[in-house]
Amino acid sequence: GAGVSQTPSNKVTEKGKYVELRCDPISGHTALYWYRQSLGQGPEFLIYFQGTGAADDSGLPNDRFFAVRPEGSVSTLKIQRTERGDSAVYLCASSSTGEDTQYFGPGTRLTVL
Amino acid sequence: KQEVTQIPAALSVPEGENLVLNCSFTDSAIYNLQWFRQDPGKGLTSLLLIQSSQREQTSGRLNASLDKSSGRSTLYIAASQPGDSATYLCAVGGFYNTDKLIFGTGTRLQVFP
């Protein structure tokens, strides 16, 4: 079946602009995660959804970052007033109830000029 | 705060060698530990998952061990091949099966013919 998909694959924006990154999890997966990976680093956790609600948003760096999952499937990560330090690869993962493995998408590479 | 360290940061070996990648973590209260592979510009692929109650897992030429009390895991790759060239990431899961993953910075492996 289809894996986790993320759009766009690349996004270039200017400092101060607003961006939205989309994640389509594997069908039927109730858990969805967002991570951010800077160059040469491992992924860092941002937020975790169980169904429609954010079960853990402790990794969001500040209030410019927000994520939603209104129908319990597709999720959107929203970044306001982007800064150059936001440049990174944003990874989405999903998992199903009772399964521990997280399945990752290919990521969205965000570049803030 | 959980911290995950991977040694070495980079490794270059000739084809056919057996090799060991190391991962250490500071808090032994983990639910599980996963090893991932990441190819350039791609997402993460789960290789092996070890539950906290397990000591090792094997898949083909890969064997991962876990010593929770000492905060260590190793990934053993037998008879390495050029196709094994990638970055290998270790990640620990927190207190429950859907908890976020804490990643190390990875080991970049190159296997040359």
Side-chain angles (χ1 to χ4, degrees):
Chain A
V4 178
S5 62
Q6 293 186 245
T7 55
S9 56
N10 279 284
K11 176 70 177 178
V12 180
T13 191
E14 294 180 344
K15 180 174 176 297
K17 300 287 189 182
Y18 167 83
V19 296
E20 288 189 353
L21 312 179
R22 176 187 167 110
C23 171
D24 256 290
I26 293 172
S27 178
H29 280 192
T30 57
L32 185 147
Y33 309 79
W34 284 99
Y35 293 84
R36 177 169 73 171
Q37 187 174 24
S38 300
L39 192 64
Q41 302 296 312
E44 291 181 307
F45 169 77
L46 295 177
I47 186 169
Y48 152 53
F49 287 90
Q50 184 63 250
T52 60
D56 182 355
D57 64 358
S58 62
L60 294 177
N62 51 59
D63 61 6
R64 296 187 297 106
F65 289 74
F66 189 71
V68 295
R69 194 185 185 199
E71 297 179 357
S73 57
V74 170
S75 176
T76 304
L77 179 66
K78 308 180 180 193
I79 310 174
Q80 299 178 323
R81 304 183 304 280
T82 51
E83 300 178 356
R84 293 194 180 87
D86 298 335
S87 296
V89 176
Y90 289 80
L91 295 165
C92 176
S94 69
S95 67
S96 65
T97 304
E99 184 178 14
D100 298 346
T101 300
Q102 294 184 19
Y103 297 89
F104 281 78
T108 293
R109 181 176 298 279
L110 175 66
T111 303
V112 182
L113 301 176
Chain B
K1 178 188 172 188
Q2 179 73 271
E3 292 183 2
V4 181
T5 304
Q6 291 187 246
I7 293 172
L11 186 60
S12 183
V13 300
E15 182 176 7
E17 274 205 7
N18 302 323
L19 51 100
V20 175
L21 308 182
N22 296 290
C23 171
S24 61
F25 46 96
T26 55
D27 187 345
S28 62
I30 64 170
Y31 191 88
N32 56 36
L33 183 144
Q34 289 186 248
W35 283 92
F36 290 88
R37 169 186 174 136
Q38 186 172 34
D39 293 281
K42 302 287 179 63
L44 280 64
T45 301
S46 180
L47 297 173
L48 290 165
L49 182 150
I50 311 176
Q51 302 292 354
S52 62
S53 58
Q54 297 175 322
R55 299 284 291 185
E56 65 177 338
Q57 282 286 336
T58 298
S59 176
R61 294 182 294 109
L62 305 179
N63 175 276
S65 67
L66 173 64
D67 184 342
K68 205 173 78 155
S69 61
S70 68
R72 296 178 189 274
S73 175
T74 60
L75 178 66
Y76 175 82
I77 303 177
S80 58
Q81 303 171 356
D84 294 332
S85 299
T87 296
Y88 290 80
L89 291 157
C90 165
V92 298
F95 301 110
Y96 48 93
N97 66 326
T98 53
D99 201 359
K100 59 182 176 285
L101 296 175
I102 308 296
F103 284 85
T105 53
T107 293
R108 193 171 63 255
L109 173 66
Q110 183 179 9
V111 182
F112 54 91

